[in-house]
């Protein structure tokens, strides 16, 4: 099927997308509208607020997009949005790199909010499938040089005091599968587990994962560390959501991953791609003894960054995207193209300023 071709009967189908204002949800809504679906997006704010104008300007939104207010922390909040929908894409979840109150700010909204959404789906007998935007964070929070991670792996290491965002995603996905085992239901669930999602943003906000690329170009990093990043294009993640929703045979979890690059490779590539006059890190901090010092210094960093450095430094993440390619027919965009798009988008949206000549 070509990208703009409507799915059979899709114009009759309504998809509720939770967290419509988000980075992944925005591209997913664009993809759904392009394929002829009606979309009901949930937002936390007032639906007519100008902050959501970018969604209302999407092609097809005039006729096919409606926004409804809903909050993950309010029981029953999603009932109205989900009533009569054929599918639900549950993308809303706090994606924060830092939090002083991880239980209240991340775990409770992620877990209780997901159960709240699933209960609303159970109440609405029209829902056939829920696509859950889970994360690689639910698979692992620590690379392992000896192991290729697949959909059979579960992150059991994170906690409130270690990679709390990862913890919230693992608990929310576990709660989903438990709900599906224990409740009488009329729909099924497919989970997507994307790694770090980067690329073009529909909204003006700066997503936490694009921020990593912005920080790389704006002098935030003191040097090039022994880190590797597993990346995927946001438009591929959006397409995967629509495939997961539409393919009857889709089942279980799907890792969504294009390519991994080391920090060193990303910095070299961005320099060669025309961004060498930005404040890319220059100092090599990848040697073993420097990594030990960096790990010690990481305790002085905000907890999210510090945890990430300690669990990832010096290790190579290996993950397999074989299941999603074989079963959903996904093909992923080369990450170097996505990196260039991301930088251009950061500049266009005013998140990255051109260096003085
Ligand atoms: P995002 O841009 O920060 O979007 C998160 C969305 O969740 C926003 O729409 C936000 O609404 C909404 N939300 C947060 N708390 C809420 C609450 N209490 N009630 C209702 N809505 C709430 O992040 P994203 O990257 O698009 O993430 C979307 C999903 O993908 C999340 O589940 C995330 O865990 C997952 N994911 C992201 C990545 C990545 O690299 N970006 C990778 C794997 C998985 P507001 O606009 O009102 O804050």
């Amino acid at each position: 099927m070509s990208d703009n071709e409507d799915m059979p009967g899709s114009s009759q189908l309504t998809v509720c997308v939770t967290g419509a204002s988000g980075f992944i949800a925005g591209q997913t809504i664009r993809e759904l509208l392009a394929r002829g679906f009606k979309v009901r997006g949930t937002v936390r704010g007032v639906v007519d607020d100008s902050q959501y104008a970018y969604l209302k300007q999407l092609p097809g939104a005039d006729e096919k997009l409606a926004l409804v207010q809903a909050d993950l922390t309010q029981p029953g909040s999603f009932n109205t949005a989900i009533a009569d929908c054929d599918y639900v894409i549950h993308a809303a979840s706090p994606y924060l790199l830092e939090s002083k109150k991880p239980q209240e700010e991340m775990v409770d909204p992620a877990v209780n909010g997901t159960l709240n959404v699933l209960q609303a789906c159970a109440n609405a007998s029209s829902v056939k499938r829920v696509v859950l935007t889970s994360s690689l964070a639910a698979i692992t929070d620590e690379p392992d040089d000896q192991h290729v991670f697949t959909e059979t792996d579960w992150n059991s290491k994170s906690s409130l005091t270690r990679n709390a965002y990862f913890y919230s995603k693992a608990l929310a996905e576990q709660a989903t599968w438990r709900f599906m085992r224990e409740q009488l239901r009329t729909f099924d669930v497919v989970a997507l587990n994307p790694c770090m999602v980067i690329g073009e943003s529909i909204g003006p906000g700066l997503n936490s994962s694009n921020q990593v690329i912005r920080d790389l170009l704006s002098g935030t990093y003191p040097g090039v560390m022994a880190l590797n990043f597993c990346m995927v294009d946001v438009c591929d993640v959006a397409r995967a959501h629509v495939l997961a929703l539409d393919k009857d045979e889709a089942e279980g979890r799907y890792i969504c991953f294009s390519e991994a690059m080391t920090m060193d490779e990303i910095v070299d590539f961005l320099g060669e791609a025309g961004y060498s006059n930005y404040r890319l890190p220059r100092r090599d901090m990848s040697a073993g003894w420097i990594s030990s010092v960096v790990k010690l210094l990481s305790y002085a960093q905000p907890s999210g960054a510090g945890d990430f450095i300690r669990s990832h430094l010096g290790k190579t993440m290996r993950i397999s995207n074989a299941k999603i390619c074989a079963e959903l027919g996904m093909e992923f965009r080369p990450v170097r193209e996505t990196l260039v798009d991301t930088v251009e988008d950061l500049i266009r949206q005013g998140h990255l300023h051109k260096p003085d000549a």
Side-chain angles (χ1 to χ4, degrees), residues 19 21-24 44 70-73 91-95 133-135 165 169 194-197 207 209:
S21 56
F23 174 54
I24 294 174
R44 271 198 281 189
D71 192 308
L72 293 171
T73 60
S93 202
Y95 181 28
T133 317
S134 185
S135 174
Y165 163 73
K169 295 303 288 179
C195 54
M196 178 176 146
V197 184
N207 184 262
S209 40

Side-chain angles (χ1 to χ4, degrees), residues 134-144 146-155 173 191-194 230 252-257 317-324 327:
S134 185
S135 174
L136 185 69
I139 303 254
T140 181
D141 82 345
E142 185 168 24
D144 178 343
Q146 307 302 318
H147 181 69
V148 177
F149 287 94
T150 69
E151 287 80 0
T152 59
D153 290 297
W154 276 97
N155 169 9
E173 197 193 324
L192 290 182
N193 300 80
C230 294
R253 317 171 85 191
Y254 289 99
I255 288 175
C256 224
F257 156 67
M317 183 74 90
R318 297 174 209 282
I319 47 182
S320 168
N321 61 13
K323 183 172 181 249
I324 198 167
E327 295 182 13

